[in-house]
């Protein structure tokens, strides 16, 4: 296998290109943000730290799209009684959001929809087609000029083939890319002519658009309390009712996508001390053991709450996070 990694110059050029794409004004919907975030997350879940090409299934990209938009396809409530479905497009609502809105009427959570495998597959294929026809085609179009540094359209048939170096750079800069995309996405939503009159001056859209809801986390904490026999994952002391929190083992600031195996229950003290740090290797070991041992329970009880639960993918994310931590000398929390 080719162990070469991109030169520092190539890496900086890549980051510069991402910035150019995000700055270009030609965004007619929020699909492009979703696409960049999806590619970046899949490079972590499916890839490795090498300069090799990575081929992605359009249905895998579609799954990421559905996760991102499922959350945002509920009414954003404000002023006690008023509410609004965020418009994700210039003009009428984005097609993928309309599809998801239909499914939301029949399925109370993404977990339930996933379990209905025939319907789920049909939705994946449907969204995959839109992804292929729209954002994949237009993402790298800068003011009418083709700017193909992520993939070449005429080389993508049934799969999307990332060019050499791209997988490596997406993994290297995932945190920056996520943050840039989220900020730009929120800006887009605020400035969209249909949303703007209502959203002007309104508080924190970020939580609503990207973070798990309080209700979901409460439900997760009930499952974890049972699984951990009401003890803190980190210090092992008994936890008192009302003074614990669901902790993202791989910090949300590193990987802002919820996967079921990533959650642990911690008392308030450990949770706030760990904050957005990685926990030491000893905890990594414990966390992996926990996931092996309780895999079925996590799949059974947490998937139903709407989270992706795939142990292998969670562990790939952890592998990526710890190698980033090592490479960049991130501070570790030792408990
Ligand atoms: Zn503790």
């Amino acid at each position: 296998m080719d162990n070469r990694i991109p030169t520092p110059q190539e890496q900086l050029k890549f980051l510069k290109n991402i910035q150019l794409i995000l700055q270009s004004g030609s965004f007619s919907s929020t699909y492009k943000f979703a696409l960049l975030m999806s590619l970046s997350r899949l490079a972590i879940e499916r890839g490795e730290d090498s300069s090799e090409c990575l081929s992605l299934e359009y249905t895998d990209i579609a799954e990421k799209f559905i996760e991102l938009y499922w959350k945002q396809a509920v009414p954003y409530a404000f002023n006690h009684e008023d509410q609004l479905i965020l418009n994700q497009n210039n003009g009428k609502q984005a097609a993928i959001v309309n599809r998801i809105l239909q499914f939301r009427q029949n399925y109370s959570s993404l977990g339930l929809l996933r379990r209905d495998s025939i319907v789920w597959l049909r939705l994946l294929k449907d969204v995959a087609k839109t992804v292929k026809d729209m954002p994949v085609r237009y993402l790298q179009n800068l003011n009418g000029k083709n700017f193909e540094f992520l993939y070449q359209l005429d080389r993508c048939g049934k799969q999307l083939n990332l060019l050499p170096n791209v997988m490596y750079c997406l993994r290297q800069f995932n945190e920056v890319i996520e943050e840039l995309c989220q900020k730009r996405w929120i800006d887009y939503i605020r400035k969209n002519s249909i949303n703007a009159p209502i959203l002007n001056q309104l508080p924190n859209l970020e939580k609503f658009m990207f973070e798990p809801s309080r209700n979901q986390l409460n439900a997760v904490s009930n499952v974890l309390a049972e699984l951990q026999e009401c003890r803190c994952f980190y210090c092992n002391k008994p936890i008192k009712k009302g003074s614990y929190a669901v902790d993202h083992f791989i910090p949300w600031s590193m990987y802002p996508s919820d996967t079921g195996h990533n959650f642990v229950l911690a008392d308030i003290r450990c949770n706030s001390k760990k904050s957005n740090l990685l926990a030491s290797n000893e905890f990594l070991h414990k966390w992996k053991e926990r996931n092996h041992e309780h895999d079925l329970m996590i799949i059974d009880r947490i998937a139903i709450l709407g989270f992706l639960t795939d142990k292998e993918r969670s562990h790939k994310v952890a592998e990526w996070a710890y190698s980033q931590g090592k490479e960049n000398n991130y501070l570790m929390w030792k408990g």
Side-chain angles (χ1 to χ4, degrees), residues 121-157:
L121 263 180
R122 209 184 302 138
L123 175 63
L124 276 183
K125 285 190 179 157
D126 195 48
V127 171
K129 188 176 181 313
T130 307
V131 168
K132 193 176 176 188
D133 291 344
M134 300 285 293
V136 164
R137 179 169 302 179
Y138 297 113
L139 177 70
Q140 302 176 102
N141 187 321
L142 277 193
N143 309 318
K145 263 178 61 187
N146 221 344
F147 185 62
E148 296 188 320
F149 73 103
L150 296 167
Y151 48 83
Q152 285 176 306
L153 276 182
D154 61 6
R155 293 203 185 166
C156 296

Side-chain angles (χ1 to χ4, degrees), residues 105-117:
Q105 294 180 347
N106 298 324
Y107 298 89
S108 60
S109 83
L110 193 50
L112 288 169
L113 173 54
R114 273 202 184 96
R115 282 189 184 190
D116 203 341
S117 54

Side-chain angles (χ1 to χ4, degrees), residues 41-42 44-47 59-60 63-64 67 111 114-115 120 124 250 255 257-263 287-288 290-292 294-319:
R41 291 175 184 186
L42 288 168
I44 289 171
E45 293 176 21
R46 300 276 193 218
T59 44
D60 277 346
E63 185 183 30
K64 295 282 173 232
E67 278 169 26
R114 273 202 184 96
R115 282 189 184 190
W120 171 243
L124 276 183
I250 300 303
Y255 195 75
S257 165
D258 277 311
T259 50
H261 292 82
N262 194 38
F263 295 123
W287 174 73
K288 283 187 182 165
R290 193 277 315 250
N291 288 344
H292 286 307
H294 298 288
D295 191 27
L296 289 180
M297 180 182 179
I298 292 171
I299 291 173
D300 192 47
R301 305 266 308 271
I302 297 188
I304 202 91
L305 303 173
F307 298 102
L308 173 77
T309 45
D310 178 334
K311 191 182 70 187
E312 302 314 317
R313 282 211 241 176
S314 265
H315 287 194
K316 286 276 281 182
V317 171
E319 203 180 290

Side-chain angles (χ1 to χ4, degrees), residues 71 211-221 258 305-307:
K71 171 142 186 49
E211 293 175 19
S213 74
R214 184 66 34 209
N215 283 346
Q216 268 181 311
L217 287 183
N218 283 341
V220 170
S221 74
D258 277 311
L305 303 173
F307 298 102

Side-chain angles (χ1 to χ4, degrees), residues 217-259:
L217 287 183
N218 283 341
V220 170
S221 74
N222 292 334
V223 177
L224 291 178
E226 193 182 321
L227 192 154
Q228 295 176 204
E229 293 168 341
C230 287
R231 288 176 179 276
C232 172
F233 178 80
Y234 296 103
C235 68
N236 217 29
K237 288 180 187 150
I239 41 181
K240 292 184 206 86
K241 209 170 164 50
S243 67
Y244 52 80
V246 175
D247 177 68
H248 293 91
F249 185 73
I250 300 303
W252 178 264
S253 60
M254 284 193 83
Y255 195 75
S257 165
D258 277 311
T259 50

